[in-house]
Amino acid sequence: MTDTRAKSSGTLFVVATPIGNLDDLSPRARKTLCGVEVVAAEDTRRTRGLLSSIGAQPTVIAYHEHNEDARAGKLLERLRAGVDVALVSDAGTPLISDPGWQLVAEALAAGIEVRAIPGPSAVIAALAVSGLATDRYAFEGFLPRRAHLRAEYLRRLARETRTLVFFESVHRLADTLSALVEQLGADRRATIARELTKLHEDVYAGSLAELRAELGRSIPLLGEFVIVVAGLAEDVPVETDEIRRVFELLRQELPPDKATALTASITGAARNTVYRLTRVASAPDEAD
Ligand code: SAM
């Protein structure tokens, strides 16, 4: 493969910014933002605040999900003309559930130099404090908003053995945790990381059912959240998982005793086995 980078072009810097604590802006990020002519920002007002706090005075151009197509072309023109451009998002690392991949892809295709200025990201910060396995993980971003699509999506993730990382807004956190309980099982281990690096930062670890039950109680429904969920333990027999899955599906329509009886006839398991495997799953609903 030939390196087609035109040396007369500018460089596209992908710059990570703090997710809460301004002290997390790295010296290299600061130097880059002070050195470039143009900053492409998701929210220009917010980024101008950050830039003025470090005495940087670049031209700030809006680059967000609604104008990505049109703006990528204009930014490439500037880069081709030799202008250095820094891409930032509202917080954290651009492109991670934030705009930018199209610009990076087009810059690479055009032979423009692309450089990472790494730093904060809620994904890695949450994983690091989750207490769950970090050797392999799958970042799943935001789940589909519509309930049936979210359930279907999670059903496909139920047998994933890697640790799962989800972003979620405060408004959908309760529904998402209920869906996780239903599709992955009430006793799956998980961690909720709230307001990372901020004043009210906190980390809550427990089973999915415990975390769901604590929402709005010991876990305040305020701020920003990452949900980290353990992958399926490799040694869980398929039958056990299948019994839970069938029970949890039936439980959406039926009372616990009927769901238990029907799960037993569908899977061939003894009723008391179904009960033992699913009694934690049914606890939060019964308490409602
Ligand atoms: N690109 C960003 C990054 O690298 O962290 C993520 C942007 S995404 C649009 C925003 C989501 O990230 C929030 O809804 C929340 O799930 C998570 N998030 C961002 N900052 C956070 C923080 N300080 N604490 C917990 N979660 C955070």
Side-chain angles (χ1 to χ4, degrees), residues 19 89 91-93 96-98 120-122 142 167-168 193-196 198 224-226:
I19 57 170
S89 56
T93 300
I96 306 303
S97 291
D98 270 336
S121 178
F142 292 96
F167 283 165
E168 197 46 284
R194 174 175 166 263
E195 293 285 84
L196 287 158
K198 301 185 197 175
E224 295 194 281
F225 297 85
V226 181

Side-chain angles (χ1 to χ4, degrees), residues 174-238:
D175 285 347
T176 293
L177 270 177
S178 298
L180 284 164
V181 167
E182 275 160 28
Q183 304 304 333
L184 305 192
D187 48 357
R188 186 82 73 97
R189 305 307 296 171
T191 296
I192 292 179
R194 174 175 166 263
E195 293 285 84
L196 287 158
T197 78
K198 301 185 197 175
L199 186 62
H200 298 294
E201 174 171 8
D202 224 332
V203 177
Y204 311 89
S207 68
L208 283 171
E210 284 163 353
L211 292 171
R212 174 69 187 86
E214 284 308 311
L215 276 191
R217 296 181 191 162
S218 67
I219 308 176
L221 277 170
L222 280 173
E224 295 194 281
F225 297 85
V226 181
I227 309 169
V228 189
V229 183
L232 183 72
E234 308 261 6
D235 57 357
V236 172
V238 179

Side-chain angles (χ1 to χ4, degrees), residues 156-176:
R156 281 189 267 124
L157 280 181
R159 298 205 61 79
E160 173 60 64
T161 54
R162 292 173 295 178
T163 297
L164 300 165
V165 185
F166 302 97
F167 283 165
E168 197 46 284
S169 84
V170 63
H171 313 292
R172 283 186 288 277
L173 190 63
D175 285 347
T176 293

Side-chain angles (χ1 to χ4, degrees), residues 4 7 12 23 75 79 81 97 162 164 190 213 225 278 282:
T4 54
K7 297 303 173 206
L12 174 63
D23 285 347
L75 289 164
L79 285 157
S97 291
R162 292 173 295 178
L164 300 165
F225 297 85
T278 58
S282 57

